[in-house]
Amino acid sequence: MNLDELYKQMILEHNKHPRNFKDVDPCTHYSHGKNPLCGDEFKVMLRLQSNCVEEIGFLGVGCAISKASGSMMTDALKGKTVEECLALKDQFLDLVTQDKEVGSSLGKLKVFEGVKQFPVRVKCAALVWRALEDALEQGSEEHTVSTE
Ligand code: ZN
């Protein structure tokens, strides 16, 4: 199976059965991400305990790519430290926007390399990561981040 097929299969599977698609209550960090270009809208919620992600979830509506991205992101970040989350976020954004080698710690998230071929889709894949970054910066105050 080539990367293109793997990519499509993973996206479809995660879109159908998103992981961590739920509220986190109580949560310590929260952000609401919007991608007006496509109509994707997700909130990302985290509960940090001693600088580690104890619980993480996301909820909202969006296309298959944005939803699959949220599913795989939340799976990847559980148990990680804030620094590890931010490092992974940088690597992910590099993966979908830059033509350079990225670190191996992305694991399964590497299938998103496929979106680079579809520039309009990059924002869909990046949305939940932007919201994550915003949540970690802002804490639990109610606010919204937009890709536009
Ligand atoms: Zn989208």
Side-chain angles (χ1 to χ4, degrees), residues 29-49:
H29 292 69
Y30 166 94
S31 180
H32 187 155
K34 275 187 187 174
N35 175 18
L37 211 63
C38 176
D40 311 319
E41 219 177 313
F42 288 99
K43 53 179 181 172
V44 172
M45 298 148 285
L46 301 103
R47 184 162 70 244
L48 298 186
Q49 174 81 34

Side-chain angles (χ1 to χ4, degrees), residues 9 14 64 93 106 110 132 143 148:
Q9 228 174 52
H14 277 268
L93 295 180
L106 281 173
K110 277 205 165 156
L132 168 85
H143 49 88
E148 292 300 304

Side-chain angles (χ1 to χ4, degrees), residues 35 38-40 62-66 120-121 123-125:
N35 175 18
C38 176
D40 311 319
C63 64
I65 290 174
S66 60
V120 75
R121 290 300 186 193
K123 282 182 176 165
C124 301

